[in-house]
Amino acid sequence: MRHLKQIHAHIIRNGLSNDPVLVTKLISLSSSHSIDYSTLIFNQIQSPTTFTYNIMIRSCTNNAAPHDALLLYLIMLHRGIPPDKFTFPFVIKACIALDSLAIETGRAVHALAVKTGFSTDIYLQNTLMDLYLKFGLLDCGRAVFDKMRVRSVVSWTTMVAGLVASGELEAAIEVFEAMPVRNVVSWTAMINGYVRNGQSYGAFELFRRMQIEGVGPNEFTLVGLLLACTELGSLTLGRWIHEFACKNGFEMNVFLGTALIDMYSKCGSVEDAVKVFEEMPERSIATWNSMITSLGVHGHGNEAVTLFTKMDKVNARPDAITFVGVLCACVNACMVHEGLEFFKVMTELCNIVPSFEHYRYIFELLGRAGMWHEAYELAENIPRNKLDVCVWRALLRVCETHDKAELGKVAYERIVELHSLDDSMPPNQIQLQHHCFEREVE
DNA sequence: TTAGGGTTAG
């Protein structure tokens, strides 16, 4: 970023700040470090063109600001700057990055693309398919696919991946088998389809077929296969994939490394997980989380906590999942006071809003420490939202295991009370829960 | 300047 700013200064001093090529290059290069800086450059352009808008829209989406991307698109239309064939895929990608509420915007963009004559662009069609399929509108995705006059391997793969994500394994297989050409991405998408649908042997069968047909796997493929090993609980197969990766010179990137750690941990070899972790040249938050969780569930609570404290030294910021792992480790290792301290760090220092899982572990810790009043206070102070019923349930659960009938009854009454405020809960379900509780109390 | 596949909790 420092070098980029120096270059930017030279550009200004040499009177080149209106050169569209230089300016757009600056925008896209700076966006991954500071979207604010990119916006600053963009706002200084005297007469922005379709091209500069496209670049700015793409930069926003690629850097966690899809909402701004849509806003820019609207401003662009408002200013009368015409979108082109590049604009539409970028805007649809912004919709995909948002939640499914953006589907209406997506449809409107689709409509405008039809009106302006860009709807037959293969890049747009592929992106639209992706949008509809990812938001569960399988018929719409299919309709785009069926209307395409030319389909590339990307079109077919998008269809396969979309069906797989919706659990439509049979339909995905049908499309996959009908593909005229398959590349490593297509094979990987299909392998993951088998894994996600609990058919891990099918995934390995496909891996064999892929190699017979002369397509080599890459890191993505191996990650899918490692998930299959994890699902099967097969340390032997997992080791084989690991050896395959080493023998074939695969780069130990964060995804492959993390999948290996997770596989070793869940297949019972925490030693191998640690070995992989220590040898990784680069780690993501998922890598840390996987390793901490692994140590925690294997009864190495102290090691998990030590590793957690190391995160700070390498500037890795813990997230909500990290604390689920740490709290779980504390529960398993009976580190009551440490756990309570971490919960404090999480909420007060890291500003992480506790989820149901955090409450579950924290109630367990408080229960073990006999701090029932604190547990009650904690549940009582949760603002009214969707989570509070779950939290009282978590407390009820802990009360049950610790034979804490009195507080359990309070928790139970709160659950019934909150349900009665919730119209979406049918009365017979409340009755049923009431019945269950009475029986448990007896 | 554009399109598709990947890791962590529960």
Side-chain angles (χ1 to χ4, degrees):
Chain A
M1 198 63 199
R2 202 167 54 84
H3 293 302
L4 208 65
K5 283 183 178 174
Q6 282 182 339
I7 295 167
H8 190 192
H10 278 287
I11 288 172
I12 295 169
R13 276 186 33 200
N14 288 287
L16 293 165
S17 30
N18 278 318
D19 184 302
V21 174
L22 287 178
V23 169
T24 48
K25 206 77 195 159
L26 271 176
I27 290 174
S28 42
L29 284 172
S30 61
S31 66
S32 59
H33 300 276
S34 162
I35 194 75
D36 290 340
Y37 194 79
S38 315
T39 309
L40 204 75
I41 302 171
F42 179 77
N43 287 338
Q44 282 169 355
I45 300 171
Q46 278 162 355
S47 39
T49 60
T50 301
F51 175 51
T52 44
Y53 265 101
N54 289 349
I55 295 299
M56 195 61 217
I57 289 171
R58 188 187 61 169
S59 299
C60 286
T61 305
N62 289 346
N63 294 288
H67 209 270
D68 293 331
L70 290 188
L71 211 60
L72 274 166
Y73 168 69
L74 293 177
I75 293 169
M76 176 184 186
L77 295 182
H78 184 72
R79 281 201 187 176
I81 295 162
D84 64 7
K85 64 169 184 169
F86 292 99
T87 316
F88 294 116
F90 291 156
V91 176
I92 295 295
K93 275 198 123 181
C95 294
I96 295 172
L98 287 160
D99 54 37
S100 54
L101 285 174
I103 189 64
E104 288 313 319
T105 312
R107 283 187 199 279
V109 175
H110 188 175
L112 188 63
V114 172
K115 270 196 212 168
T116 48
F118 289 112
S119 65
T120 51
D121 179 78
I122 190 168
Y123 284 88
L124 174 62
Q125 288 171 319
N126 291 342
T127 317
L128 279 170
M129 271 173 54
D130 198 33
L131 169 85
Y132 290 129
L133 295 168
K134 282 206 170 116
F135 289 166
L137 300 168
L138 303 190
D139 292 341
C140 296
R142 191 86 204 200
V144 174
F145 183 74
D146 288 340
K147 278 187 193 150
M148 291 175 80
R149 261 183 262 136
V150 182
R151 299 186 189 104
S152 67
V153 63
V154 177
S155 322
W156 287 90
T157 307
T158 305
M159 196 71 217
V160 170
L163 290 169
V164 154
S166 296
E168 303 281 336
L169 185 64
E170 291 304 318
I173 292 170
E174 207 174 298
V175 175
F176 181 78
E177 295 301 336
M179 285 179 79
V181 181
R182 287 179 280 259
N183 63 15
V184 60
V185 183
S186 330
W187 285 99
T188 304
M190 197 63 241
I191 285 173
N192 282 318
Y194 277 96
V195 181
R196 278 196 226 183
N197 285 281
Q199 299 196 27
S200 294
Y201 287 115
F204 277 97
E205 177 56 31
L206 212 62
F207 179 53
R208 206 179 59 92
R209 233 185 94 192
M210 141 183 203
Q211 285 169 301
I212 291 169
E213 293 189 21
V215 181
N218 62 16
E219 286 86 355
F220 287 68
T221 323
L222 297 194
V223 169
L225 293 168
L226 281 169
L227 292 179
C229 301
T230 308
E231 212 255 331
L232 293 168
S234 171
L235 189 60
T236 316
L237 265 179
R239 277 197 211 285
W240 184 78
I241 296 287
H242 192 179
E243 279 164 25
F244 184 96
C246 295
K247 255 193 278 177
N248 291 280
F250 279 90
E251 181 203 349
M252 190 55 69
N253 65 21
V254 287
F255 289 104
L256 185 52
T258 307
L260 274 170
I261 290 171
D262 199 53
M263 179 278 295
Y264 276 127
S265 155
K266 288 182 180 151
C267 292
S269 176
V270 68
E271 298 79 14
D272 283 298
V274 170
K275 220 183 279 172
V276 173
F277 180 83
E278 282 173 351
E279 284 170 5
M280 278 174 76
E282 206 186 327
R283 293 165 189 150
S284 72
I285 183 65
T287 317
W288 288 93
N289 291 351
S290 188
M291 196 65 249
I292 288 170
T293 305
S294 165
L295 290 167
V297 299
H298 281 93
H300 304 289
N302 273 314
E303 286 88 338
V305 168
T306 308
L307 195 62
F308 173 75
T309 55
K310 276 188 190 157
M311 287 181 76
D312 193 45
K313 292 183 187 109
V314 292
N315 277 328
R317 273 167 59 122
D319 66 6
I321 300 177
T322 319
F323 283 100
V324 173
V326 171
L327 292 175
C328 171
C330 292
V331 168
N332 287 342
C334 290
M335 298 162 76
V336 176
H337 293 288
E338 290 86 344
L340 297 179
E341 197 54 42
F342 287 131
F343 189 72
K344 228 173 152 183
V345 170
M346 175 179 103
T347 51
E348 290 172 17
L349 237 67
C350 303
N351 286 318
I352 293 170
V353 181
S355 72
F356 170 68
E357 287 78 20
H358 299 113
Y359 282 111
R360 247 190 56 198
Y361 289 125
I362 209 72
F363 287 149
E364 182 60 39
L365 287 170
L366 288 168
R368 286 189 193 184
M371 298 163 77
W372 293 103
H373 184 68
E374 283 79 356
Y376 168 75
E377 292 264 293
L378 197 61
E380 195 59 71
N381 284 318
I382 292 164
R384 177 84 183 95
N385 59 30
K386 277 201 160 37
L387 185 70
D388 50 7
V389 181
C390 301
V391 170
W392 284 107
R393 273 186 206 282
L395 184 56
L396 176 59
R397 186 82 187 266
V398 178
C399 289
E400 281 167 7
T401 53
H402 288 264
D403 275 332
K404 210 66 193 165
E406 218 170 296
L407 184 56
K409 199 160 193 310
V410 174
Y412 165 73
E413 279 162 4
R414 296 308 298 271
I415 292 166
V416 174
E417 185 190 326
L418 289 166
H419 273 315
S420 69
L421 300 173
D422 187 356
D423 298 336
S424 65
M425 172 69 78
N428 59 346
Q429 210 166 330
I430 298 174
Q431 283 292 316
L432 185 71
Q433 280 168 351
H434 185 76
H435 176 71
C436 292
F437 183 73
E438 292 296 319
R439 226 178 37 201
E440 276 168 27
V441 167
E442 274 171 33

